[in-house]
Amino acid sequence: MATTTEENYLKAIYHLNGDRDGKSLRTNELADYLVIAPSTVSNMLVKLSEKGLIEYQKYGRITLSHSGEEIALSVLRKHRLWETFLYEKLGFTWDEIHDVAEELEHINSQKLIDKLDELLGYPEYDPHGDPIPKANGQSRETYKKTLSMAELGKPYQIVAVKNTSVEFLQYASEIGIELEAKISVNSRLDFDGSMEIEIGGTARTVSQKVAENVYVG
């Protein structure tokens, strides 16, 4: 059984390896993501490797073993189910649920999580649009098309957000970005990639950075 700290590392490795276009995850990147000193991360990676949870060589790429991936997916499943519960049943807003779910995700009761899944009606996506892994580790495919890739004048629907920080989610709510909202791109500036969008019948201008953190379908 992995400790809470080990689970956090495995979840972070799974997340960072999710969409890398062939690039290898390195120690310094993992340290930056976890906001932990690289030397501390290196020590933990050695421990995880010795427990057979990751494949790792000093200064080499970091990948999860089969057992390490199983643990990471289990933690993600719990995290996203708890986020959904907090949002749908307790009235938390989508910018409030992450930190609370970070604490709840380490509860080790399979029966509790299965009952939670049943209570929620077996949801496939959490309130941020992230797929919720099933008990067997399978989940729906993550979204790939961001608002920055959208064609001009074509109608879309917001299906997920990439950035789940409190600051971004609060800003998104202020300008009407929410899941299932209808959105279209009226124009795009070549200079900086900013664009005029229409959402909820209102025209707004958003930066390229914002557009790259919104998934549409």
Side-chain angles (χ1 to χ4, degrees), residues 36-49:
I36 298 174
S39 59
T40 302
V41 171
S42 294
N43 291 335
M44 176 57 74
L45 292 176
V46 171
K47 293 179 181 178
L48 293 173
S49 179

Side-chain angles (χ1 to χ4, degrees), residues 94 128 130 145-149 158-165 168-169 171-172 177 179 206-216:
W94 72 342
H128 302 130
D130 291 317
K145 189 165 192 172
T146 63
L147 181 60
S148 60
M149 305 173 185
I158 296 174
V159 292
V161 289
K162 184 177 182 180
N163 187 333
T164 57
S165 68
F168 178 79
L169 293 175
Y171 171 75
I177 291 176
L179 299 193
V206 297
S207 67
Q208 183 176 11
K209 184 176 181 180
V210 168
E212 289 173 346
N213 280 286
V214 177
Y215 289 110
V216 296

Side-chain angles (χ1 to χ4, degrees), residues 3 6 8-9 19 34-35 47 55 57 62 70 87-88 96 100 149 153 189 196 198 204 210:
T3 66
E6 290 169 346
N8 287 335
Y9 270 81
D19 186 15
L34 293 170
V35 195
K47 293 179 181 178
E55 296 177 7
Q57 293 181 339
I62 306 165
E70 284 186 333
Y87 183 81
E88 292 188 357
E96 296 175 324
V100 182
M149 305 173 185
L189 292 179
E196 181 185 274
E198 185 166 327
R204 298 183 181 276
V210 168

Side-chain angles (χ1 to χ4, degrees), residues 140-186:
R140 299 291 294 271
E141 186 177 359
T142 55
Y143 297 108
K144 300 295 184 182
K145 189 165 192 172
T146 63
L147 181 60
S148 60
M149 305 173 185
E151 299 175 31
L152 296 182
K154 183 177 179 179
Y156 292 93
Q157 184 179 55
I158 296 174
V159 292
V161 289
K162 184 177 182 180
N163 187 333
T164 57
S165 68
V166 172
E167 294 79 10
F168 178 79
L169 293 175
Q170 289 180 346
Y171 171 75
S173 295
E174 288 175 4
I175 65 173
I177 291 176
E178 58 184 24
L179 299 193
E180 300 184 2
K182 305 297 183 182
I183 190 170
S184 60
V185 179
N186 295 334

Side-chain angles (χ1 to χ4, degrees), residues 73-214:
L73 285 169
S74 174
V75 176
L76 275 177
R77 169 175 163 79
K78 290 185 286 184
H79 181 96
R80 292 173 180 173
L81 282 172
W82 282 120
E83 284 193 330
T84 306
F85 174 76
L86 293 166
Y87 183 81
E88 292 188 357
K89 303 299 184 181
L90 299 186
F92 281 66
T93 57
W94 72 342
D95 57 289
E96 296 175 324
I97 56 180
H98 177 77
D99 288 346
V100 182
E102 285 280 292
E103 301 293 329
L104 295 170
E105 70 185 23
H106 300 292
I107 297 175
N108 288 310
S109 170
Q110 188 61 50
K111 181 176 181 179
L112 173 62
I113 298 306
D114 289 343
K115 288 292 185 181
L116 183 64
D117 195 16
E118 180 182 1
L119 173 68
L120 295 169
Y122 307 102
E124 295 186 330
Y125 296 95
D126 74 8
H128 302 130
D130 291 317
I132 300 173
K134 299 301 180 184
N136 62 5
Q138 295 181 345
S139 65
R140 299 291 294 271
E141 186 177 359
T142 55
Y143 297 108
K144 300 295 184 182
K145 189 165 192 172
T146 63
L147 181 60
S148 60
M149 305 173 185
E151 299 175 31
L152 296 182
K154 183 177 179 179
Y156 292 93
Q157 184 179 55
I158 296 174
V159 292
V161 289
K162 184 177 182 180
N163 187 333
T164 57
S165 68
V166 172
E167 294 79 10
F168 178 79
L169 293 175
Q170 289 180 346
Y171 171 75
S173 295
E174 288 175 4
I175 65 173
I177 291 176
E178 58 184 24
L179 299 193
E180 300 184 2
K182 305 297 183 182
I183 190 170
S184 60
V185 179
N186 295 334
S187 62
R188 181 183 289 110
L189 292 179
D190 293 334
F191 174 68
D192 61 0
S194 62
M195 56 180 63
E196 181 185 274
I197 62 171
E198 185 166 327
I199 183 168
T202 302
R204 298 183 181 276
T205 299
V206 297
S207 67
Q208 183 176 11
K209 184 176 181 180
V210 168
E212 289 173 346
N213 280 286
V214 177

